[in-house]
Amino acid sequence: MSEGAKSVKITKRVVDATKPNGTDFYVFDSELIGFGLRVRATGGISYIVRYRAGSGKNAPVKRVTIAKVGKVTPDQARDVAKDLLASVVKGQDPSRDRAEERGAVTFAKLADAFLHHVEALKKANTHAQYAHMLNAYAVPQFGTRKAAAVTPSDIAGLHISLKAKPTTANRVRDVISSMYGWAIKGKILPKMENPAAGIAKYRESKRERFLSSEEILRLGSAIREAETVGIAWEPDPTKKTKHAPKAGNRLVKLDPASAAALRLFILTGARLREILHLTWDMVDLERGLLLLSDSKTGQKTIILNAPAQMVLADLPRIDRYVIPGKPRALKSGKMESRPRSDLKRPWQMIRKRAGLAAQADNPGFRVRIHDLRHTHASIGVGANLGLPIVGKLLGHTQSRTTERYAHLEADPLRKASNAIGKRISEAMGDSASPPAENVIQLRTDKG
């Protein structure tokens, strides 16, 4: 490449008059040293800045392209050149900085690397949740952006866009914050402010749903009906169903494993995956224990009460998994057993039959499978077993996790309230005071 160059004040007239001549050459500005035009043999013309990266004659000569001719005016290119040359005087290297920026990791690539890190160190459910939060919400918003260029206002904008789902918004914010914290600590990103750290979270309403005695009875009845005679289903009126079975033939029976799983949730207070991933070698019926090698809180032992032991004792052992899923065919032709992934369809059927599904005027009435665990805990606390004991039965590693059930405990405050109420009732002239544990109805005299 020819390095031939001439010097002249670069104006619009000079730019318009500059034509390719079959070789690469430069036209440098006579007033602003380093500012110039680069003319390629192929015909392309660009504004550039040339400078020495360092002091002394041995410092390497570098060039930075400002823009193609036609994209900006000569005066605009000159202003950019002044800023670049001023940064060189301050010891910066614009060419190196731009190269680093071009090679900087994008938000999408950073998210991918972070998820690999999470997959290696965290549980599968945690990895799945992180992947969903990033890939469903954050990556579509910032994917092609340089990760280091994403600002707190960008994250705040995403957070605000999800305000209708406060819990989701907060989880997305938390995952992004964890990702940047990991990247900054690991020097994948330069030392910088975590753009998600200062975003205030939305207030979340903790949803606590405990089944009443009547609801537990209805749940048990629905499970028994489903596993014996079956539960009738109705065709969706919004869909055209050809040749739908007659009403008497529209019965769905619940398989023994699914029925056992639903009973075990409420009888043991175990989490969903603790039952679905349970293998028979973890079951010790003789001692009444489930010996889990892994759970949300690590290695864990679940104590089986007598009804739970009966459920497991009556369940056929047809697979290594207590609640088996659909087996997978391997390349060798053998079948690999797998745990059941979820209980959505049987639970929806049982919940609807038991009258525990969402209601039009009360969507929060809907009972989730996890609410069976809450119900197990609430019954224990209501029976005055004490928060520490209930916490150990549930496998809580921190006492504050169990404290959410404290309001259900019949503690001295309730006894004090009953004593005060009894005194007030007597002072108001009630001849027969009701038992202290009952609610006192204040008498109103008419006339």
Side-chain angles (χ1 to χ4, degrees):
M1 181 181 73
S2 171
E3 290 290 339
K6 56 184 178 179
S7 178
V8 64
K9 183 176 180 179
I10 295 177
T11 61
K12 186 178 185 306
R13 180 177 296 178
V14 170
V15 170
D16 293 341
T18 302
K19 305 296 181 184
N21 61 8
T23 62
D24 287 0
F25 67 94
Y26 297 86
V27 177
F28 284 103
D29 191 75
S30 57
E31 295 185 358
L32 182 59
I33 305 302
F35 173 51
L37 295 172
R38 181 179 185 178
V39 185
R40 294 186 177 274
T42 55
I45 306 176
S46 301
Y47 297 104
I48 64 152
V49 165
R50 185 167 68 176
Y51 63 95
R52 287 190 182 274
S55 58
K57 294 182 179 180
N58 294 328
V61 176
K62 295 187 176 183
R63 288 184 296 270
V64 172
T65 299
I66 298 173
K68 289 184 177 180
V69 165
K71 294 286 186 181
V72 297
T73 66
D75 289 340
Q76 290 171 334
R78 186 185 299 274
D79 290 340
V80 174
K82 287 179 181 178
D83 292 338
L84 291 172
L85 291 170
S87 70
V88 172
V89 174
K90 296 176 182 178
Q92 297 178 15
D93 186 347
S95 178
R96 181 196 61 201
D97 294 344
R98 288 195 174 188
E100 290 178 353
E101 183 180 352
R102 286 194 298 271
V105 64
T106 63
F107 188 96
K109 289 185 177 180
L110 181 63
D112 188 58
F114 176 64
L115 289 175
H116 276 95
H117 161 75
V118 171
E119 186 176 26
L121 298 180
K122 304 288 186 180
K123 297 184 184 300
N125 284 348
T126 302
H127 173 261
Q129 291 171 7
Y130 279 32
H132 174 70
M133 294 301 170
L134 287 173
N135 294 327
Y137 301 103
V139 172
Q141 191 83 7
F142 311 121
T144 58
R145 298 263 300 274
K146 302 298 182 183
V150 175
T151 65
S153 62
D154 294 328
I155 305 299
L158 174 61
H159 195 243
I160 291 172
S161 72
L162 296 171
K163 64 182 180 181
K165 303 176 180 178
T167 301
T168 298
N170 290 344
R171 296 298 86 76
V172 171
R173 176 260 179 215
D174 290 344
V175 172
I176 294 175
S177 181
S178 296
M179 180 181 76
Y180 272 91
W182 167 78
I184 295 168
K185 185 176 180 180
K187 298 184 179 180
I188 298 173
L189 293 178
K191 190 174 182 179
M192 57 179 287
E193 177 188 1
N194 186 325
I199 307 300
K201 294 184 180 182
Y202 293 113
R203 179 179 295 177
E204 300 177 29
S205 56
K206 296 293 183 180
R207 184 180 178 276
E208 301 275 335
R209 179 74 164 87
F210 310 118
L211 272 66
S212 66
S213 298
E214 181 189 358
E215 289 174 330
I216 294 175
L217 179 62
R218 296 205 308 263
L219 176 66
S221 298
I223 294 175
R224 286 191 296 274
E225 180 183 358
E227 65 184 346
T228 53
V229 298
I231 293 177
W233 62 273
E234 295 294 333
D236 189 341
T238 63
K239 298 180 181 179
K240 293 183 179 179
T241 305
K242 292 183 179 180
H243 311 296
K246 294 182 179 179
N249 298 327
R250 293 200 298 263
L251 293 173
V252 178
K253 292 190 70 174
L254 190 64
D255 64 280
S258 296
L262 296 178
R263 288 191 173 103
L264 288 172
F265 290 137
I266 194 166
L267 287 172
T268 67
R271 298 181 177 92
L272 177 69
R273 300 299 166 194
E274 291 172 349
I275 296 300
L276 294 188
H277 290 181
L278 186 68
T279 54
W280 283 110
D281 61 338
M282 301 177 189
V283 180
D284 187 340
L285 282 179
E286 185 176 346
R287 292 190 294 166
L289 301 173
L290 297 182
L291 305 171
L292 307 183
S293 57
D294 192 22
S295 72
K296 182 179 179 180
T297 54
Q299 191 172 6
K300 176 180 176 182
T301 298
I302 294 178
I303 297 176
L304 294 172
N305 47 46
Q309 285 179 276
M310 290 182 61
V311 169
L312 288 167
D314 293 342
L315 190 62
R317 301 194 180 197
I318 61 175
D319 191 273
R320 65 182 290 257
Y321 287 100
V322 176
I323 315 297
K326 187 176 181 181
R328 177 175 59 185
L330 301 176
K331 291 183 179 179
S332 61
K334 295 182 179 181
M335 301 299 289
E336 178 187 46
S337 62
R338 294 189 298 173
R340 182 154 183 162
S341 59
D342 61 61
L343 289 168
K344 290 181 180 179
R345 294 184 69 180
W347 175 241
Q348 288 174 355
M349 177 179 69
I350 294 297
R351 182 174 62 185
K352 183 177 180 180
R353 182 58 175 169
L356 302 174
Q359 299 177 352
D361 58 343
N362 186 10
F365 182 84
R366 175 179 60 95
V367 176
R368 306 165 302 173
I369 285 182
H370 195 70
D371 292 327
L372 303 183
R373 174 176 167 86
H374 290 320
T375 300
H376 179 92
S378 69
I379 292 173
V381 174
N384 288 330
L385 299 181
L387 295 180
I389 294 297
V390 173
K392 287 183 179 180
L393 287 175
L394 294 177
H396 290 164
T397 57
Q398 297 179 344
S399 60
R400 69 170 179 266
T401 307
T402 318
E403 287 171 0
R404 73 176 72 174
Y405 305 108
H407 65 286
L408 301 174
E409 194 172 24
D411 56 18
L413 291 177
R414 180 175 296 277
K415 293 180 181 179
S417 177
N418 286 330
I420 294 170
K422 183 173 183 294
R423 290 286 187 91
I424 293 174
S425 180
E426 291 174 348
M428 295 180 70
D430 288 334
S431 57
S433 297
E437 64 271 15
N438 292 340
V439 177
I440 296 175
Q441 300 292 336
L442 295 180
R443 187 179 66 186
T444 56
D445 294 327
K446 296 182 179 180

